[in-house]
């Protein structure tokens, strides 16, 4: 067990679910977030789930003085790094903001880790780093080739970390490539809370079901898939959070780096997800099929053998459970936090 884990982006969607799992497992955690895409109200929710008051600093990871203060006053020996901007369309419009936040933020964190000899680093990467010409399922050793600035920040971050590992010798990194995280904590107290119109499918469906939006637009009905709609590997965010704990265990026990997909290995189409959500919510989800979204691909899903082999981790929850948990969260919190 670590002395203390620093979670960046701690009040965000995946960060908050991971925080809960880490506290429940007895880890000491300090969270940092600048709240650019999350709310401090989350803290009370984490406390009511875990009965532990979360240790939180509001701050920007690009500010090295803030990071130094944290490392000076806490014995941090593992960083779990979620803080990043993540909207693909926005990254095309504002590439400099994305490179500044995602790359500069990582550099400041690594400088601080170096100064304070923190040797364990868990990085939020994404399936978006894989080259779209690969045929799914995606294996970790397949060619990389992102197609938008957000994806490039993830691939560049992986590269920076790999170079840093060579230079610092004792640093170990878990490169975790997430597929499509969805779902919410079973308590219904925390979940995904997008600000503005959701870019991603599951939160959009949930907001239609709860009456915040009228109609789901399905981007393309003529993809070469089971029903013509796009296929993705949806993974429950609590399974994903547990994947981080498995990665932390691996870093401590094996004292080696690893690169693994975190997905289920199962592909689900847009229409299949809509129908599963209709069953979970007992609501009709009105939709229309519109033209394809620029940059989309037909099918994406993971090969998950390596995560199982190296970390003994695999996802357990299926799409029905994901929809039930999202619906509990969304119907209990129709306007978010
Ligand atoms: P999120 O936006 O909910 O959480 C990210 C958090 O980081 C937010 O709370 C935001 O306020 C904070 N943040 C951003 N920049 C910061 C900075 N400079 N300093 C301090 N805090 C900052 O996103 P999420 O879905 O929880 O994603 C977490 C990580 O996982 C991100 O790195 C994201 O790129 C990656 N990821 C997400 C998905 C997904 O579909 N959600 C898929 C693959 C990878
Ligand atoms: C998105 C990101 C990707 C990220 C991934 C993981 C984009 C363009 N890509 O991809 O970088 O790694 O999430 O979370 O945002 N869909 C609709 N209607 C909608 C929304 C989506 O039909 O309103 C369809 C899409 O065309 C796709 C599927 O639903 O077939 C899933 O979309 P989404 O949730 O945005 O995820 P990804 O496209 O996989």
């Amino acid at each position: 067990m670590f002395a203390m884990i620093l979670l960046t982006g701690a009040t965000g969607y995946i960060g908050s679910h991971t925080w809960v799992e880490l506290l429940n497992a007895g880890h000491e955690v300090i969270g940092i977030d600048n709240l650019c895409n999350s709310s401090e109200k989350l803290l009370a929710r984490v406390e009511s789930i875990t009965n532990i008051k979360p240790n939180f600093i509001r701050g920007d990871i690009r500010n090295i003085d803030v990071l130094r203060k944290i490392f000076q006053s806490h014995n941090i020996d593992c960083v779990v790094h979620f803080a990043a901007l993540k909207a693909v369309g926005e990254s095309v419009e504002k590439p400099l903001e994305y490179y500044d936040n995602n790359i500069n933020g990582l550099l400041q964190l690594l400088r601080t880790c170096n100064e304070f000899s923190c040797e364990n680093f868990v990085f939020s990467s994404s399936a978006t780093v894989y080259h779209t010409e690969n045929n799914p399922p995606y294996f970790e050793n397949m060619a990389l080739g992102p197609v938008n600035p957000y994806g490039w920040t993830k691939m560049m971050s992986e590269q920076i970390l790999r170079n840093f590992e060579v230079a610092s010798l004792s640093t170990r990194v878990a490169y975790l490539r997430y597929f499509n995280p969805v779902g919410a904590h079973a308590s219904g107290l925390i979940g995904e809370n997008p600000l503005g119109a959701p870019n991603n499918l599951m939160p959009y469906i949930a907001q239609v079901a709860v009456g915040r939006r009228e109609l789901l637009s399905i981007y393309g009905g003529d993809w070469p898939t089971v029903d013509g709609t796009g296929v993705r590997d949806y993974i429950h965010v609590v399974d994903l959070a547990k994947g981080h704990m498995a990665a932390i265990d691996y870093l401590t026990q094996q004292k080696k780096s690893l690169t693994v997909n975190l997905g289920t290995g199962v592909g689900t189409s847009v229409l299949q997800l809509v129908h599963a959500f209709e069953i979970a919510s007992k609501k009709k989800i009105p939709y229309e099929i519109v033209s394809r979204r620029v940059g989309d691909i037909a099918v994406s899903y993971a090969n998950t053998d390596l995560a199982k082999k190296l970390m003994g981790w695999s996802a357990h929850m299926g799409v029905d459970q994901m929809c039930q948990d999202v619906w509990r969260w969304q119907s209990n919190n129709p306007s978010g936090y």
Side-chain angles (χ1 to χ4, degrees):
M1 173 146 331
F2 285 105
M4 187 167 265
I5 298 171
L6 175 65
L7 280 195
T8 75
T11 46
Y13 172 48
I14 304 171
S16 57
H17 288 82
T18 306
W19 206 348
V20 164
E21 294 306 312
L22 288 170
L23 291 176
N24 281 342
H27 287 286
E28 286 227 60
V29 181
I30 179 161
I32 180 170
D33 202 297
N34 66 1
L35 304 177
C36 71
N37 197 35
S38 54
S39 163
E40 223 162 347
K41 289 185 189 155
L42 179 276
L43 299 171
R45 307 285 182 103
V46 170
E47 185 171 354
S48 51
I49 296 171
T50 60
N51 283 319
I52 299 170
K53 194 171 171 54
N55 191 351
F56 177 68
I57 308 276
R58 180 177 183 171
D60 195 301
I61 56 159
R62 288 166 295 179
N63 184 341
I64 198 160
D65 294 332
V66 170
L67 296 178
R68 282 190 179 125
K69 268 192 197 137
I70 295 174
F71 279 74
Q72 271 155 6
S73 49
H74 301 85
N75 182 16
I76 309 286
D77 49 13
C78 179
V79 173
V80 183
H81 177 37
F82 295 108
L85 300 177
K86 63 161 184 178
V88 170
E90 188 184 58
S91 79
V92 176
E93 287 157 27
K94 302 176 181 170
L96 302 186
E97 274 185 36
Y98 272 67
Y99 286 113
D100 179 42
N101 199 75
N102 296 4
I103 302 293
N104 195 16
L106 174 69
L107 294 178
Q108 303 316 325
L109 261 179
L110 291 182
R111 285 192 177 113
T112 320
C113 286
N114 208 24
E115 281 174 30
F116 291 85
S117 305
C118 170
E119 295 174 342
N120 300 287
F121 201 94
V122 179
F123 177 64
S124 296
S125 192
S126 167
T128 201
V129 298
Y130 289 112
H131 201 292
T132 50
E133 280 173 15
N134 294 313
N135 276 328
Y138 293 140
F139 288 79
E140 289 82 352
N141 59 4
M142 278 181 164
L144 306 184
V147 291
N148 54 62
Y150 165 70
W152 275 105
T153 69
K154 291 293 167 189
M155 194 173 115
M156 287 177 179
S157 295
E158 286 201 10
Q159 188 57 45
I160 289 166
L161 282 159
R162 289 183 206 282
N163 292 156
F164 180 73
E165 271 189 72
V166 173
S168 85
L169 294 177
S170 50
T171 300
R172 302 174 283 263
V173 181
Y175 302 84
L176 305 182
R177 294 182 181 153
Y178 313 157
F179 278 68
N180 288 61
V182 299
H185 191 262
S187 63
L189 286 171
I190 62 174
E192 190 171 10
N193 184 35
L195 306 175
N199 298 308
N200 299 114
L201 180 62
M202 183 64 112
Y204 208 103
I205 292 176
Q207 291 194 7
V208 171
V210 84
R212 271 175 73 180
R213 303 191 184 269
E214 263 177 38
L215 188 69
L216 170 72
S217 296
I218 296 184
Y219 300 137
D222 56 353
W223 293 103
T225 62
V226 57
D227 55 22
T229 65
V231 167
R232 296 292 183 274
D233 185 340
Y234 298 97
I235 172 168
H236 197 295
V237 66
V238 173
D239 274 332
L240 189 71
K242 290 181 175 158
H244 290 73
M245 306 227 292
I248 291 169
D249 287 346
Y250 182 92
L251 294 180
T252 353
Q253 287 157 20
Q254 304 297 323
K255 304 204 180 306
K256 280 195 288 198
S257 296
L258 87 168
T259 303
V260 287
N261 292 333
L262 296 185
T264 62
V266 177
T268 303
S269 77
V270 175
L271 280 173
Q272 287 168 340
L273 194 67
V274 166
H275 292 141
F277 205 92
E278 287 182 331
I279 291 167
S281 63
K282 302 191 178 67
K283 301 274 181 194
K284 191 95 199 110
I285 312 288
Y287 67 82
E288 62 174 343
I289 306 231
V290 300
S291 47
R292 293 177 177 186
R293 178 170 68 179
V294 176
D296 266 355
I297 51 173
V299 180
S300 161
Y301 64 98
N303 175 286
T304 58
D305 294 347
L306 194 61
K308 173 96 183 148
K309 183 174 153 207
L310 295 180
M311 314 195 295
W313 170 91
S314 54
H316 292 292
M317 289 185 265
V319 159
D320 293 343
Q321 186 70 52
M322 300 175 206
C323 292
Q324 284 165 27
D325 290 340
V326 170
W327 179 239
R328 190 178 307 105
W329 152 252
Q330 188 71 78
S331 52
N332 288 347
N333 306 270
S335 318
Y337 290 109

